[in-house]
Amino acid sequence: LDEVLPGRRGLALSAAPLLGPFVAGHVPGALLLAPDEEAGRWVRAAAEAAALDHAVCLKERRGDRDVAVSLHGAPVRGRHVVVLDDVASTGRTLAAAARAAFAAGATGVDVAVTHALFVGDAFAHVGAAGVRRVWSSDCVPHASNALSVVPLLTRALERILG
């Protein structure tokens, strides 16, 4: 953004460091699971902020609503898993990750996302995959909103304004 708007200061923000402690408060000892490699960096930041274990899945996208997720050795058996992602749109990736976690022996699966778009039947589709709870930030208004990003925005404004 700084390159596109010379003289302006851009600041990238992530709700991941807020989501990690939130999840740890609701599911102590949870395994945070990134449903794909792209989400790996956010899940790593969330895990570090809450001292939780994390793992990253491999995703194969075959179409807009057709994805396959593999765990490739993630330590899931006997653990409660929280799939964490930045955006939930069709819900197919989250549902595929939840099914893969259950198939690998997870005792339960919840979902935490920053942007809860949940287009069409997406929310129901995630629930049908066995997901117990869905938590999201209030970046996008949704019934799953459980975490405010106001502290994140406040800190950013304080940094920008000095």
Side-chain angles (χ1 to χ4, degrees):
L1 192 57
D2 294 341
E3 294 174 12
V4 177
L5 298 170
R8 307 280 181 173
R9 291 188 336 193
L11 185 61
L13 302 176
S14 172
L18 298 177
L19 285 169
F22 177 86
V23 166
H26 287 81
V27 188
L31 172 68
L32 295 184
L33 189 62
D36 54 34
E37 292 171 322
E38 180 184 352
R41 64 182 172 174
W42 296 302
V43 171
R44 188 170 24 266
E48 288 173 2
L52 293 173
D53 293 337
H54 70 284
V56 179
C57 297
L58 292 177
K59 177 173 81 172
E60 178 188 349
R61 181 172 293 283
R62 301 175 189 142
D64 288 345
R65 296 178 172 264
D66 185 14
V67 298
V69 172
S70 60
L71 298 177
H72 65 89
V76 171
R77 181 161 306 286
R79 310 256 330 251
H80 193 98
V81 171
V82 177
V83 180
L84 194 146
D85 207 351
D86 61 333
V87 178
S89 52
T90 67
R92 281 8 188 213
T93 299
L94 296 171
R99 286 191 300 273
F102 281 123
T107 59
V109 177
D110 293 320
V111 164
V113 296
T114 302
H115 301 93
L117 301 179
F118 289 110
V119 178
D121 70 344
F123 195 73
H125 190 77
V126 170
V131 170
R132 180 176 62 161
R133 298 175 290 199
V134 176
W135 299 298
S136 66
S137 77
D138 59 0
C139 288
V140 176
H142 189 267
S144 64
N145 290 166
L147 177 69
S148 175
V149 295
V150 168
L152 179 67
L153 298 173
T154 301
R155 286 191 300 271
L157 285 171
E158 288 170 348
R159 282 178 47 196
I160 290 172
L161 298 176

